[in-house]
Amino acid sequence: MGKVRKLSDSERKAIVAMFPQLGVTETARRAGCSKSTVQRVWSTDGPGGEDTQKTYPGASPARQPETTAERLTELRGILRAALNDAPPQAVAGLSREYRATIDELDRLEGGNGGDPVDSALDSIAARIAAKMPAP
């Protein structure tokens, strides 16, 4: 068993700040600690942790997303972080959810993205559909 090093308050705050955007693996790499340390710090100091008010007195609660676009943006970040730490068998499902979330965000923001790949794929699909017999 390895020697346990006590984290300073600034190291704990840095882990809490990095974790939602980066995920467990990348946060652990950047903080120079183990994944279990990141998970333990997040469970005690993170937004849902029991020690949050003790560690950060006077801290205001995190602002909750109000609009659909804000909720989808938050979900996009969560899915991106989950993809970093997902086991191989879960990557396909998370990727589908991530793509669907991005598509929905794009639709809500009113743009068709102007993505040349989308245009090319739509063109190919239209040509294939034109050659197929009617049902």
Side-chain angles (χ1 to χ4, degrees):
M1 188 171 197
K3 184 177 179 183
V4 177
R5 179 176 64 92
K6 183 164 174 57
L7 296 173
S8 69
D9 285 340
S10 63
E11 289 173 316
R12 294 177 76 85
K13 287 178 185 177
I15 289 171
V16 169
M18 281 190 280
F19 176 73
Q21 290 80 28
L22 302 177
V24 175
T25 303
E26 185 62 18
T27 300
R29 187 184 69 74
R30 289 187 183 187
C33 62
S34 69
K35 291 188 221 178
S36 62
T37 299
V38 171
Q39 291 168 334
R40 188 180 70 249
V41 168
W42 179 257
S43 68
T44 58
D45 294 358
E50 299 164 3
D51 293 342
T52 303
Q53 293 304 318
K54 290 184 234 170
T55 307
Y56 309 110
S60 61
R63 182 182 163 280
Q64 295 296 318
E66 296 173 6
T67 66
T68 302
E70 288 174 346
R71 287 191 292 272
L72 286 170
T73 302
E74 181 180 41
L75 176 60
R76 180 184 61 192
I78 291 167
L79 289 170
R80 184 182 308 131
L83 277 167
N84 289 336
D85 300 318
Q89 63 271 23
V91 170
L94 286 170
S95 296
R96 275 192 301 276
E97 289 293 323
Y98 184 71
R99 283 191 302 271
T101 302
I102 290 173
D103 290 343
E104 186 63 19
L105 265 171
D106 189 41
R107 187 186 67 74
L108 281 175
E109 292 172 351
N112 63 5
D115 188 0
V117 174
D118 282 345
S119 301
L121 291 174
D122 288 342
S123 172
I124 292 169
R127 281 186 273 156
I128 292 171
K131 292 179 183 179
M132 294 180 71

